Amino acid sequence: MLYASLKTLHLLAIIVWIGGMVFAHFFLRPSLGMFEPAVRVRLMHAVLGRFFSAVLAAIAVTLVSGLWMIGNVAKQVVQAGGHFSMPLEWTVMATLGIVMMLIFGHIRFSLYKRLSRAAQAADWSAGAAALAQIRLWVLINLGLGVLVVLVTLLGLPR
């Protein structure tokens, strides 16, 4: 029951993160084209601030639940007298997940700070430049997230 609950939390956290990237990149951002730069930068700053707080929570849930689930399976195998060898799909999932977390750290703690400074200074061109960098890294993270989902669901060719 605990394993199933943690797996559910793990998946929900990932849905929040990947779903939020899809929404922001493919729906919110293109819809803001009709607004002047000042409105676009301020709105994206406010939305991203809230979203990035949710992603930080999602990362914590994903990391803790993922490590617990791997550890639990390894413990059960060893207690049954076996030798635990993590499946390749799990290794890919964990590795790409850590890469995504590092990329998010760059987005949140470097690029978003640039956006915050630009919004505070009413420097709309600097804000647009920061948003362009955020958009690029979010697209990379989105691609990695989709790859993780595909590897996890479909496996890897053997």
Side-chain angles (χ1 to χ4, degrees), residues 88-143:
L88 182 57
E89 287 83 2
W90 290 12
T91 302
V92 169
M93 176 176 39
T95 302
L96 292 180
I98 296 296
V99 170
M100 288 179 67
M101 291 173 198
L102 292 171
I103 290 172
F104 173 75
H106 173 63
I107 294 168
R108 172 60 186 88
F109 299 109
S110 177
L111 300 177
Y112 182 71
K113 282 190 178 188
R114 286 185 207 162
L115 177 61
S116 295
R117 286 192 298 270
Q120 188 174 6
D123 185 348
W124 310 127
S125 61
L131 283 169
Q133 284 295 302
I134 290 169
R135 181 173 54 248
L136 170 67
W137 285 104
V138 165
L139 187 58
I140 291 167
N141 245 8
L142 179 57

Side-chain angles (χ1 to χ4, degrees), residues 37-54:
V39 173
R40 280 195 306 262
V41 170
R42 283 190 200 119
L43 180 60
M44 286 301 292
H45 179 260
V47 169
L48 290 176
R50 287 173 178 81
F51 176 59
F52 291 163
S53 294

Side-chain angles (χ1 to χ4, degrees), residues 6 9-10 13 17 53-68 101 104:
L6 286 174
L9 287 174
H10 190 82
W17 190 0
S53 294
V55 171
L56 281 172
I59 284 173
V61 168
T62 301
L63 194 56
V64 169
S65 61
L67 289 172
W68 188 92
M101 291 173 198
F104 173 75

